[in-house]
Amino acid sequence: MSRKYSKELLDKIVERQEVVDIKGAQVLVKKLPDSDEIGAMDTRLYNDTKKQMTIMRLMPKSMMKMDTSPKSIFKLRNMFGEVKSNPIVEKNIDIINEHVEAIDGYKIPVRIYKSETMKENAPILYFIHGGGFFGGSPDVVEELVKLIVEKTDILALSVDYRLAPENPYPTGHEDCYSVLNWIYDNAKNLGGDKNNIFVAGDSAGGNLTQYCTTKDFESNLGMVKGQLLLYPTVNMANIEDEFFKWSKDEYEMHSKHRHGIEMMLDMFNGLSGGLKDILGTDDIKNGYLTPYIRDAKGLPPTFITVGEHDFLKVECLAYASKLAKAGVDTTTVLYKGFGHAYGDNIGVYPQSEDCAIEMGNFILKYSK
């Protein structure tokens, strides 16, 4: 129950942060707490990934492409399902297991998180885990959810939706939306406020989150008060426009870390290229899998966060710009020195805890 870093680093992150305009979006840039080297990886992250990068250096480029065979999916699921967080939550958080009926009758597992000091008629966080639509689990993001609950005393739920490729698109997406409807209908009994539901998700979970928000918007139900997108997949079809054109030139990379960063970018490029095969659809240009193409006007307040060296950084910042241009109240947070999935590292990196704090602040701000 202890952090692998000093709390002083948390304070330094806040002291050194600054707001920068990036293509019309106001971005809160979180600098490294203990380094001024431009384009450098966080020292703690670099030390933890040196072994992985050494292995990747020896891998042929053909292995960087997405292999959708059952054997490969099994291996990737083990990797994506690894719990990396270090527990730091001190409050007693009750976890209740529930099941929600999907549109085809399947019972979707749901976890409910309540702190010992939960607010009355509490705002609700509904979290959807990532994992490329084929991996991950509520276990991976549980410490992130628990930390937000501890710091805000809100009610939280997470969903264990069905995974592809065994359950092709749109099964997982529809599962997530079914749970949103259930939360709205049962909020009072859970001790939450149905008028203050915030949907959140990381990576593929960010895409599933935007799907829930979009379906809610299309149905004019008004269930979603705000959404939180952690390094989300929002432009699966790689649609180029005034804000988006992917290039390594969009990345600042310190010379001592350049090779490792480029390998990580190439790896995620290879993985993302196989998503349509994983999902079992050729229609990735639709407005649900590629919400980037939709008119964003009218969407609820949106929180977006991404790492400086994340393969998805370019599309995430482009999406923030599109939302801002459409008049959506958008909070964007960029973490220097990081790549993907820092929400999975609570207690390991100060930036992960800082992200949980920013998420909690966003929810409390817009639930008033």
Side-chain angles (χ1 to χ4, degrees):
M1 295 276 293
S2 62
R3 295 167 177 81
K4 294 185 177 181
Y5 49 86
S6 71
K7 284 191 175 182
E8 292 178 0
L9 290 178
L10 275 174
D11 296 332
K12 285 289 186 183
I13 291 173
V14 176
E15 289 174 12
R16 293 166 59 82
Q17 68 188 24
E18 63 177 352
V19 177
V20 176
D21 184 291
I22 301 179
K23 298 180 181 178
Q26 297 300 297
V27 179
L28 181 61
V29 177
K30 302 274 191 173
K31 299 179 182 178
L32 291 171
D34 48 4
S35 173
D36 290 315
E37 293 181 313
I38 296 174
M41 291 177 65
D42 180 90
T43 301
R44 292 154 288 275
L45 176 64
Y46 178 72
N47 289 335
D48 288 345
T49 56
K50 277 194 296 187
K51 182 178 179 181
Q52 179 184 358
M53 287 191 288
T54 299
I55 294 173
M56 288 173 58
R57 191 177 290 116
L58 301 174
M59 291 170 58
K61 286 190 175 182
S62 60
M63 292 185 67
M64 296 290 187
K65 295 182 180 180
M66 184 68 177
D67 179 358
T68 58
S69 67
K71 183 177 180 180
S72 177
I73 293 296
F74 177 78
K75 289 181 178 179
L76 285 170
R77 276 184 179 157
N78 284 337
M79 182 175 70
F80 282 25
E82 182 183 359
V83 176
K84 300 176 182 177
S85 289
N86 190 47
I88 60 173
V89 173
E90 297 179 357
K91 279 186 184 179
N92 180 44
I93 309 290
D94 287 332
I95 303 175
I96 304 162
N97 293 304
E98 184 60 84
H99 288 85
V100 173
E101 188 170 328
I103 58 176
D104 62 357
Y106 174 78
K107 302 299 184 182
I108 310 165
V110 172
R111 297 181 191 179
I112 304 166
Y113 301 84
K114 296 183 176 183
S115 76
E116 55 190 343
T117 53
M118 191 178 88
K119 299 175 186 290
E120 185 177 349
N121 197 33
I124 301 171
L125 168 63
Y126 169 35
F127 200 97
I128 305 172
H129 73 79
F133 303 104
F134 65 87
S137 79
D139 292 336
V140 177
V141 294
E142 184 152 275
E143 292 305 319
L144 172 63
V145 174
K146 288 169 63 177
L147 185 59
I148 296 171
V149 168
E150 179 184 54
K151 291 182 178 295
T152 61
D153 284 326
I154 63 173
L155 171 69
L157 300 93
S158 66
V159 57
D160 195 3
Y161 56 89
R162 283 174 284 183
L163 301 176
E166 296 88 344
N167 303 283
Y169 172 79
T171 304
H173 288 69
E174 291 177 342
D175 281 358
C176 292
Y177 188 59
S178 292
V179 172
L180 172 62
N181 279 277
W182 181 87
I183 293 171
Y184 185 78
D185 292 340
N186 291 274
K188 185 175 181 179
N189 292 335
L190 295 170
D193 181 1
K194 71 174 186 179
N195 296 313
N196 278 307
I197 298 175
F198 294 80
V199 188
D202 62 306
S203 196
N207 183 279
L208 293 158
T209 294
Q210 183 63 76
Y211 175 84
C212 288
T213 302
T214 299
K215 292 290 285 186
D216 176 54
F217 178 77
E218 288 178 336
S219 302
N220 197 31
L221 295 175
M223 294 185 291
V224 179
K225 187 68 171 292
Q227 62 175 351
L228 298 92
L229 310 176
L230 284 67
Y231 26 89
T233 302
V234 290
N235 191 1
M236 204 179 297
N238 289 313
I239 303 299
E240 296 183 359
D241 61 10
E242 61 181 307
F243 299 119
F244 176 79
K245 183 176 182 180
W246 197 90
S247 168
K248 286 183 183 177
D249 293 337
E250 296 288 328
Y251 294 82
E252 289 184 324
M253 294 178 268
H254 195 283
S255 58
K256 66 180 180 181
H257 296 151
R258 173 176 289 276
H259 187 65
I261 294 169
E262 288 189 336
M263 281 196 301
M264 296 298 288
L265 292 174
D266 290 339
M267 182 187 77
F268 276 102
N269 187 13
L271 290 176
S272 64
L275 287 181
K276 69 176 183 178
D277 294 328
I278 287 290
L279 289 166
T281 179
D282 289 325
D283 184 26
I284 60 172
K285 289 185 179 180
N286 70 61
Y288 298 127
L289 293 179
T290 300
Y292 188 82
I293 65 176
R294 296 181 63 94
D295 181 358
K297 188 176 181 181
L299 288 177
T302 299
F303 174 96
I304 298 176
T305 183
V306 70
E308 175 186 26
H309 298 135
D310 193 330
F311 172 78
L312 297 173
K313 180 195 76 171
V314 184
E315 72 183 71
C316 289
L317 293 182
Y319 197 46
S321 297
K322 291 197 74 168
L323 293 180
K325 184 178 180 180
V328 177
D329 197 345
T330 308
T331 300
T332 309
V333 183
L334 174 70
Y335 285 93
K336 290 283 191 176
F338 269 78
H340 200 64
Y342 41 86
D344 301 352
N345 300 103
I346 297 298
V348 179
Y349 307 122
Q351 290 87 345
S352 303
E353 183 173 355
D354 181 82
C355 183
I357 293 170
E358 291 289 353
M359 292 173 69
N361 289 342
F362 176 87
I363 293 170
L364 293 179
K365 175 182 177 181
Y366 289 99
S367 62
K368 295 178 180 178

